[in-house]
């Protein structure tokens, strides 16, 4: 047999094996690894999508929470799991784009994963304490320039999206403010409402009641389109900070060597799930915004986001220690 015929035979055999794997998939329960604790927006999203996937695949899809180490415990678990489609990961910018740049991780955020689909985005909103004498973003910029390092901003940790959003804001506007990292959005919000913190670029859903009560003032959202939850609040892009885009997105991915036909089946399933009106409505009711991208588009977005976050982390000189 010639080399060409041998290669053709091997490719045909691989295709047949892959097709058989896809037809047989899923053989058992699928684990969807959520790198956050139960009860938050990520967990609600994961459980909504898992239930809808199970209905279409005919097998149980269970959410397994593996929080810790800035999402890297869950990411490492999936990166080293059997690549057969039965272990999936609730992907985030933190796991794929941010933590691998900030610390030594046991996985490569891009090479060790096969993107399946982008699912949703939770908008971050720039809020200030009600007693701060600014009502617009231009006024905030002017105040911050007149009082360098006098304003403090709350985040949910070093390298978190709220932290990076503030760093990008300072780089773009030429302002200087002081970072105060918290262990979560609840204590950060408490100190903002009490006036101990001046501002923050935090997830919108937990802030809504305080924005509605007047305890916090919403100046802008940090994604390119206005948030459904805050339709009257402009985007930073609208206000002249061109291309400003730092939200908290979620996608689904698998280990890198998962067979193509299995990935294709998962992608078709996710396409059906994310086009379901009831599923989309439930996601929106949980405070997230539907942000669906198919496998190729998600892979391209992930690569661009990793490059963008790396530049921001490097230019801001962010260190975890």
């Amino acid at each position: 047999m010639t080399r060409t015929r041998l290669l053709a035979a091997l490719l045909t055999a691989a295709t047949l094996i892959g097709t058989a794997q896809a037809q047989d998939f899923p053989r058992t329960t699928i684990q969807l690894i959520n790198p956050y604790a139960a009860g938050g927006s990520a967990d609600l999203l994961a459980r909504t999508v898992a239930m809808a996937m199970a209905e279409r695949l005919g097998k149980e899809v269970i959410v397994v929470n593996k929080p810790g180490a800035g999402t890297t415990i869950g990411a490492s678990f999936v990166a080293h799991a059997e690549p057969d489609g039965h272990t999936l990961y609730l992907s985030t910018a933190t796991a794929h784009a941010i933590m691998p740049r900030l610390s030594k991780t046991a996985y490569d955020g891009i090479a060790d994963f096969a993107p399946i689909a982008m699912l949703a985005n939770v908008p971050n909103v720039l809020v200030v304490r009600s007693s701060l004498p600014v009502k617009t973003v231009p006024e905030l910029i002017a105040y911050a320039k007149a009082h360098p390092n006098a304003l403090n901003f709350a985040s949910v940790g070093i390298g978190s999206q709220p932290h990076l959003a503030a760093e990008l804001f300072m780089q773009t506007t030429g302002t200087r403010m002081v970072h105060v990292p918290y262990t979560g959005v609840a204590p950060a919000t408490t100190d903002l409402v009490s006036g101990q913190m001046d501002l923050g670029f935090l997830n919108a859903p937990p802030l809504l009641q305080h924005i509605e009560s007047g305890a916090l003032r919403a100046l802008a959202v940090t994604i390119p389109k206005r948030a459904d939850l805050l339709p009257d609040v402009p985007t930073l892009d609208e206000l002249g900070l061109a291309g400003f885009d730092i939200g908290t997105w979620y996608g689904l991915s698998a280990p890198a060597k998962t067979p193509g036909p299995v990935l294709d089946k998962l992608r078709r399933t996710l396409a059906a799930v994310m086009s379901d009106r009831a599923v989309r409505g439930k996601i929106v009711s949980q405070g997230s915004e539907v942000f669906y991208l198919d496998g190729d588009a998600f892979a391209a977005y992930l690569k661009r986001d990793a490059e963008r976050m790396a530049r921001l982390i490097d230019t801001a000189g962010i260190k975890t220690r």
Side-chain angles (χ1 to χ4, degrees):
M1 181 180 290
T2 66
R3 179 181 176 82
T4 301
R5 287 182 178 178
L6 177 60
L7 288 173
L10 290 172
L11 286 173
T12 300
T15 300
L16 291 172
I17 291 170
T19 301
Q21 287 175 318
Q23 290 174 342
D24 190 37
F25 174 82
R27 299 184 306 278
T28 185
T29 299
I30 294 173
Q31 292 188 96
L32 172 49
I33 306 302
N34 172 16
Y36 298 101
S41 58
D43 198 55
L44 293 173
L45 173 66
R47 293 179 190 280
T48 297
V49 171
M51 184 178 298
M53 288 179 69
E55 291 175 358
R56 288 163 176 79
L57 290 170
K59 291 289 185 181
E60 190 176 16
V61 181
I62 61 169
V63 176
V64 179
N65 299 91
K66 287 188 178 293
T71 72
T72 63
I73 289 176
S76 180
F77 179 85
V78 176
H80 297 98
E82 184 71 24
D84 58 6
H86 292 91
T87 303
L88 306 177
Y89 186 60
L90 186 68
S91 293
T92 66
T94 304
H96 293 285
I98 298 172
M99 292 306 295
R101 192 70 179 187
L102 286 175
S103 61
K104 185 178 177 64
T105 57
Y107 63 89
D108 184 295
I110 303 298
D112 287 339
F113 295 87
I116 299 171
M118 180 78 88
L119 304 175
N121 197 6
V122 179
N124 288 350
V125 57
L126 165 56
V127 292
V128 299
R129 56 179 169 82
S130 58
S131 56
L132 192 69
V134 300
K135 294 185 178 180
T136 66
V137 169
E139 288 180 1
L140 174 62
I141 294 170
Y143 187 96
K145 285 184 174 180
H147 305 84
N149 289 322
L151 294 176
N152 50 43
F153 67 90
S155 85
V156 295
I158 296 172
S160 64
Q161 280 90 344
H163 179 198
L164 294 179
E167 292 289 353
L168 181 59
F169 181 85
M170 289 189 288
Q171 288 185 17
T172 306
T173 60
T175 54
R176 299 198 307 277
M177 300 181 290
V178 178
H179 178 210
V180 181
Y182 285 76
T183 56
V185 68
T189 302
T190 297
D191 280 1
L192 271 167
V193 171
S194 69
Q196 294 183 62
M197 287 289 109
D198 296 310
L199 67 146
F201 295 73
L202 303 172
N203 274 180
L207 304 179
L208 289 179
Q209 60 177 318
H210 303 296
I211 293 170
E212 291 169 357
S213 72
L216 297 177
R217 187 177 298 126
L219 302 188
V221 293
T222 67
I223 56 176
K225 63 178 282 293
R226 293 197 180 196
D228 294 337
L229 293 170
L230 296 164
D232 297 327
V233 178
T235 69
L236 285 169
D237 182 82
E238 283 180 62
L239 297 173
L241 278 66
F244 202 107
D245 179 14
I246 297 186
T248 303
W249 58 257
Y250 298 104
L252 219 62
S253 60
K257 295 181 180 179
T258 303
V262 171
L263 291 173
D264 289 341
K265 188 168 185 177
L266 286 166
R267 286 167 181 153
R268 290 193 300 271
T269 301
L270 262 298
V273 165
M274 297 306 292
S275 65
D276 185 293
R277 183 175 298 179
V279 173
R280 294 170 70 92
K282 192 168 185 180
I283 290 172
V284 170
S285 73
Q286 294 164 354
S288 298
E289 305 208 350
V290 175
F291 181 30
Y292 173 75
L293 297 174
D294 65 16
D296 290 341
F298 179 28
Y301 183 97
L302 180 54
K303 186 173 183 297
R304 288 195 305 271
D305 207 39
E307 293 169 350
R308 194 165 60 96
M309 293 299 101
R311 287 194 300 271
L312 177 56
I313 288 167
D314 291 348
T315 54
I318 299 171
K319 306 290 183 183
T320 53
R321 297 182 182 181

